[in-house]
């Protein structure tokens, strides 16, 4: 069993900053990709940023240059530094990890965090 614990959401003003963190624990052999997704009311969940175990990052065009994703492989944590926040960044943010549970099982599975609310006021 794997647990993803997110922290750091909350309320910010436009132009402000927030930092999200996510810690993965439990039955984990290896983690390939760690990422953040978000879902605004009435919209589909979308990728915000992702980072591989080797440090390769991808960002959605809407956050590029404003958000920075990072990870600590030794601690199985991933963070999202969000700067220059805009009201359209308001959403529930979800941590997601693609992992292998054990050495003997080669399949990769995705686990999701419970979500943390980010609200940006204008």
């Amino acid at each position: 069993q794997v647990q993803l614990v997110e922290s750091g959401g909350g309320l910010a003003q436009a132009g402000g900053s927030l930092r999200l963190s996510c810690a993965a624990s439990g039955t984990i052999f290896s983690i390939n990709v760690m990422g953040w997704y978000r879902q605004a009311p009435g919209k589909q969940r979308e990728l915000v940023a992702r980072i591989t175990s080797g440090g390769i990052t991808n960002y959605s065009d809407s956050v590029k240059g404003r958000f920075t994703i990072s990870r600590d492989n030794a601690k199985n944590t991933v963070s999202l530094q969000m700067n220059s926040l805009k009201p359209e960044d308001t959403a529930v943010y979800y941590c997601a990890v693609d992992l292998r549970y054990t050495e003997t099982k080669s399949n990769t599975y995705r686990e999701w965090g419970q979500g943390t609310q980010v609200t940006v006021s204008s």
Side-chain angles (χ1 to χ4, degrees), residues 9 12 14-15 18 33 54 61 65 72 90 92 98 101 104-105 109 113 115 118:
L18 285 173
V33 181
D61 289 341
D72 184 328
T90 296
V92 177
D98 296 340
Y101 295 117
T104 57
K105 294 183 179 180
Y109 298 88
V118 170

Side-chain angles (χ1 to χ4, degrees), residues 66-115:
R66 301 188 297 121
F67 291 9
T68 302
I69 190 170
S70 60
R71 67 187 279 176
D72 184 328
N73 290 332
K75 297 181 179 179
N76 288 340
T77 60
V78 61
S79 297
L80 185 69
Q81 178 65 44
M82 305 185 293
N83 298 328
S84 302
L85 284 163
K86 303 176 180 180
E88 50 263 44
D89 294 319
T90 296
V92 177
Y93 284 69
Y94 297 90
C95 171
V97 299
D98 296 340
L99 57 83
R100 288 174 60 186
Y101 295 117
T102 68
E103 184 176 7
T104 57
K105 294 183 179 180
S106 61
N107 290 349
T108 298
Y109 298 88
R110 175 163 293 179
E111 293 280 356
W112 292 91
Q114 79 282 2

Side-chain angles (χ1 to χ4, degrees), residues 18-90:
L18 285 173
R19 184 178 180 87
L20 305 182
S21 295
C22 173
S25 62
T27 304
I28 299 172
F29 171 68
S30 65
I31 298 177
N32 183 13
V33 181
M34 305 184 83
W36 291 93
Y37 291 72
R38 68 186 181 187
Q39 187 167 19
K43 295 187 177 181
Q44 288 190 332
R45 190 173 299 187
E46 62 175 1
L47 173 68
V48 176
R50 61 197 292 269
I51 182 169
T52 69
S53 57
I56 298 172
T57 58
N58 297 101
Y59 296 92
S60 70
D61 289 341
S62 62
V63 307
K64 204 171 292 184
R66 301 188 297 121
F67 291 9
T68 302
I69 190 170
S70 60
R71 67 187 279 176
D72 184 328
N73 290 332
K75 297 181 179 179
N76 288 340
T77 60
V78 61
S79 297
L80 185 69
Q81 178 65 44
M82 305 185 293
N83 298 328
S84 302
L85 284 163
K86 303 176 180 180
E88 50 263 44
D89 294 319
T90 296

